[in-house]
């Protein structure tokens, strides 16, 4: 009994991978928000939110590609085919998550630098 290896339950493993991804997003977003030029606290928060949205969109795009190409996915991101939504919804949402913050930044840039 003492020689048995202890393995985390699948739920615990999914939870830890999920929290790890969230922590990575937050660290990258905070670093991006602080390093990006601009003035004030509101601009820093905006940059943090934009970077979180773009990173989440890229992760969703990676999951979409992994499902389409039958690549390996971590257990936290795997779903059976009957539990999955249609692929075009995941693709559309990931592209929207990337495009909307970029459009917002470009609009602000063009309006303030005329």
């Amino acid at each position: 009994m003492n020689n048995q290896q202890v393995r985390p339950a699948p739920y615990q493993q999914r939870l830890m991978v999920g929290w790890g991804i969230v922590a990575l997003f937050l660290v990258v977003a905070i670093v991006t928000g602080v390093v990006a030029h601009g003035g004030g606290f509101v601009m820093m928060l905006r940059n943090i939110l934009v970077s979180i949205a773009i990173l989440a969109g890229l992760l969703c795009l990676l999951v979409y590609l992994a499902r389409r190409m039958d690549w390996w996915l971590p257990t936290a991101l795997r779903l059976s085919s009957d539990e999955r939504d249609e692929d075009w919804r995941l693709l559309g949402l990931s592209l929207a998550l990337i495009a909307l913050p970029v459009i917002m930044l470009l609009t602000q840039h063009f309006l303030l630098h005329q």
Side-chain angles (χ1 to χ4, degrees), residues 3-18:
N3 294 333
Q4 294 179 352
Q5 292 182 351
V6 177
R7 290 182 157 176
Y11 173 75
Q12 292 172 338
Q13 188 176 7
R14 286 184 179 187
L15 187 64
M16 292 309 295
V17 168

Side-chain angles (χ1 to χ4, degrees), residues 11-67:
Y11 173 75
Q12 292 172 338
Q13 188 176 7
R14 286 184 179 187
L15 187 64
M16 292 309 295
V17 168
W19 280 115
I21 290 171
V22 168
L24 180 67
F25 278 174
L26 289 177
V27 167
V28 170
I30 289 171
V31 168
T32 303
V34 170
V35 171
H37 63 81
F41 184 70
V42 174
M43 296 296 263
M44 184 182 70
L45 286 178
R46 190 224 38 199
N47 290 336
I48 290 172
L49 291 175
V50 164
S51 62
I52 287 174
I54 291 173
L55 287 173
L58 290 175
L59 178 67
C60 290
L61 202 60
L62 182 66
V63 169
Y64 171 77
L65 286 174
R67 286 181 182 171

Side-chain angles (χ1 to χ4, degrees), residues 58-74 77-79 84 87 90-91 94:
L58 290 175
L59 178 67
C60 290
L61 202 60
L62 182 66
V63 169
Y64 171 77
L65 286 174
R67 286 181 182 171
R68 296 294 285 177
M69 306 270 188
D70 290 328
W71 294 341
W72 178 85
L73 279 171
L77 299 174
R78 274 189 237 152
L79 290 174
R84 275 189 220 160
D87 283 340
L90 181 61
L91 178 63
S94 63

